[in-house]
């Protein structure tokens, strides 16, 4: 095919080594769990396997940073910080992670960028890859047992939008219970996919 449209293949083993040096042992375990769960979902929903695993590996690549470090990185990379993020800087590990994937892991791919960007709050215009990473983040086997997790895990492989709504509902309920501020994107994503399922 004259090398046209040659697919980029990411060196996942190399990224894994780099991540292992950065993340805590637990966070690294979670990362590997997300990567292989995302791989299983890629097989089910036919997204590119290597690309999906790359997004899984890198989704929490900025999670080792403190709130102050996240804010500093936003200044350094000109990332806009919303009022909600100012009050809760840990939300920024998604935005900063998306940029770090490019700057430190040399992954220059819009789809992977968006999957990392959307993995915490979701987004009404999530792509299939975004949904896979969002869902894998919640259902990966190393997660502490969560309410309805068995049903959500099963649903993830049957109807990913349903799994998405179940996860968003559980997350919103948890944040309300903890009396933590809910980011408007999380609420908007929930509302959007609830109406989509009803349509
Ligand atoms: O980074 P992980 O722990 O693997 O997972 P994550 O990126 O989904 O982050 C999980 C945390 O983010 C969890 O404690 C819930 C929280 N979160 C999700 N949506 C919102 C939120 N926190 C706030 N304050 N507001 C949100 O809308
Ligand atoms: Fe995360
Ligand atoms: Fe995660």
């Amino acid at each position: 095919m004259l090398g046209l449209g040659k697919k980029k293949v990411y060196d996942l083993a190399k990224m894994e080594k780099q991540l292992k040096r950065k993340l805590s042992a637990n966070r690294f375990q979670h990362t590997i769990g997300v990567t292989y769960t995302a791989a299983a979902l890629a097989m089910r929903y036919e997204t590119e396997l290597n690309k999906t695993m790359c997004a899984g590996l890198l989704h929490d690549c900025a999670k080792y940073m403190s709130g102050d470090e996240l804010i500093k990185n936003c200044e350094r990379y000109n990332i806009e910080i919303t009022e909600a993020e100012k009050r809760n800087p840990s939300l920024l590990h998604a935005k900063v992670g998306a940029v770090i994937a490019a700057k430190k892991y040399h992954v220059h791919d819009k789809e992977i960028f968006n999957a990392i960007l959307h993995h915490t709050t979701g987004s009404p215009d999530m792509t299939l890859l975004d949904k896979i990473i969002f869902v894998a983040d919640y259902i990966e086997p190393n997660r502490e047992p969560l309410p309805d997790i068995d049903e959500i895990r099963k649903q993830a492989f049957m109807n990913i939008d349903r799994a998405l709504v179940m996860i968003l509902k559980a997350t919103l309920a948890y944040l309300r219970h903890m009396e933590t501020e809910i980011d408007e994107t999380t609420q908007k994503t929930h509302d959007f996919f609830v109406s989509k399922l009803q349509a």
Side-chain angles (χ1 to χ4, degrees):
M1 295 292 266
L2 300 166
L4 285 176
K6 198 155 151 264
K7 233 175 25 193
K8 176 117 182 104
V9 178
Y10 296 102
D11 186 344
L12 303 179
K14 189 176 166 197
M15 278 176 203
E16 193 179 313
K17 275 195 193 145
Q18 198 178 334
L19 281 162
K20 195 169 188 171
R21 290 201 304 269
K22 284 284 179 191
L23 303 176
S24 71
N26 280 345
R27 183 57 51 180
F28 182 74
Q29 269 291 108
H30 161 72
T31 294
I32 299 301
V34 171
T35 304
Y36 284 95
T37 303
L41 290 166
M43 294 171 197
R44 162 67 178 85
Y45 293 107
E46 301 182 83
T47 58
E48 249 178 74
L49 189 57
N50 174 263
K51 183 185 279 215
T52 305
M53 291 181 78
C54 178
L57 265 178
L58 295 178
H59 85 283
D60 273 340
C61 70
K63 192 77 179 186
Y64 68 92
M65 293 183 195
S66 66
D68 283 352
E69 261 178 291
L70 287 166
I71 289 170
K72 268 198 207 115
N73 274 273
C74 288
E75 287 159 6
R76 174 168 178 201
Y77 295 121
N78 291 315
I79 300 168
E80 216 179 289
I81 307 176
T82 65
E83 289 302 316
E85 288 163 344
K86 260 181 216 163
R87 291 188 290 270
N88 184 12
S90 74
L91 287 171
L92 288 169
H93 81 275
K95 278 184 180 174
V96 173
V99 171
I100 294 288
K103 302 279 182 193
K104 305 282 188 200
Y105 294 84
H106 315 293
V107 172
H108 302 278
D109 181 282
K110 195 77 213 275
E111 292 172 8
I112 295 173
F113 181 92
N114 279 326
I116 301 172
L117 184 68
H118 294 146
H119 91 266
T120 303
T121 60
S123 162
D125 39 49
M126 281 170 117
T127 63
L128 182 55
L129 179 66
D130 296 355
K131 291 175 190 176
I132 286 175
I133 299 304
F134 185 92
V135 169
D137 193 18
Y138 196 87
I139 68 170
E140 68 95 0
N142 305 298
R143 276 267 187 227
E144 296 288 328
L146 294 155
D148 301 327
I149 191 66
D150 293 338
E151 184 55 30
I152 298 174
R153 284 185 170 135
K154 188 168 124 187
Q155 208 47 249
F157 290 88
M158 292 165 54
N159 181 332
I160 199 160
D161 283 353
R162 271 215 195 111
L164 202 63
V165 165
M166 291 170 87
I167 293 167
L168 287 159
K169 280 193 191 305
T171 302
L172 290 173
Y174 169 79
L175 293 170
R176 276 193 293 267
H177 172 78
M178 297 298 282
E179 297 182 23
T180 308
E181 181 181 348
I182 292 165
D183 189 280
E184 62 170 3
T185 315
T186 312
Q187 188 66 54
K188 276 187 190 159
T189 306
H190 167 271
D191 299 350
F192 178 86
F193 283 100
V194 166
S195 357
K196 188 179 172 209
L197 279 188
Q198 285 163 353

